[in-house]
Amino acid sequence: MRRCGTLLMIILTAGVSAALQIQCYQCEDVRQDDCSAPEFIVNCTVNVQDMCQKEVLVLEDGIHYRKSCASSGACLIASSGYQQFCTGKLNSVCITCCNTALCNGPRHRRRALSRAHTLAPAAAPLLAGLLIYL
C-alpha cells in the first residue's frame, strides 16, 4: 500500500512539473516596438495563458504596439475577428498569436546571402535565354 502512495505522489509531481509556462513580452500602447527589452518579459499563467499576443495599431501619430500573454482560445478569436481590419493602412489593427517563448517580440530580419550577389550577374544571361525560349 505504501508503494502505491509513493507511486501516486511521483505521478502527481511529474504532472505538475510538466505544466507549461510560456514567457512573453507585455506592454500597453508603446511606439516603435520598443517594449522588447528584458524588463518587459513576464511569466504567463501556467496552463491558462499558453500563447503570446501582439497587436499592431496604425494610428495618425504612428504605429502602436500592445503585447501580452493570452489563452489560445481568446487570442485566436481576437486575431480572426480583427483579420479584416489588418490592412497596414491608417486605423489598421493586426493581432497575431504565437506559442513559443518571447515570440511576440520584434521580427528578426533575414540576413542576405553574400553569394546571392555574386551569382546574380552570372545567372542573368541564363534567365534571358529561358525567357526567349518560352
Side-chain angles (χ1 to χ4, degrees):
M1 187 66 156
R2 189 169 190 179
R3 285 186 186 171
C4 290
T6 304
L7 183 59
L8 181 61
M9 186 60 88
I10 291 171
I11 291 171
L12 290 175
T13 304
V16 170
S17 65
L20 299 175
Q21 183 175 36
I22 190 170
Q23 286 187 319
C24 300
Y25 291 103
Q26 182 169 310
C27 59
E28 285 289 326
D29 199 27
V30 176
R31 290 189 193 160
Q32 299 176 348
D33 207 12
D34 62 358
C35 71
S36 297
E39 61 265 23
F40 294 103
I41 296 173
V42 296
N43 293 318
C44 303
T45 305
V46 177
N47 291 334
V48 176
Q49 296 174 314
D50 54 350
M51 297 194 97
C52 298
Q53 181 172 314
K54 182 177 183 177
E55 297 179 44
V56 181
L57 300 92
V58 180
L59 303 175
E60 288 183 9
D61 63 342
I63 299 174
H64 294 248
Y65 296 88
R66 290 185 195 143
K67 299 179 182 184
S68 63
C69 298
S71 69
S72 55
C75 194
L76 295 172
I77 288 170
S79 66
S80 63
Y82 277 93
Q83 191 172 21
Q84 61 185 336
F85 303 108
C86 184
T87 62
K89 298 178 182 177
L90 186 62
N91 297 319
S92 171
V93 179
C94 299
I95 298 176
T96 55
C97 309
C98 54
N99 61 0
T100 57
L102 305 176
C103 58
N104 63 341
R107 283 186 167 178
H108 296 288
R109 293 185 178 146
R110 294 183 185 207
R111 293 188 307 186
L113 296 174
S114 59
R115 289 186 57 191
H117 298 293
T118 59
L119 291 176
L126 293 173
L127 186 58
L130 182 61
L131 289 175
I132 291 171
Y133 180 75
L134 293 175

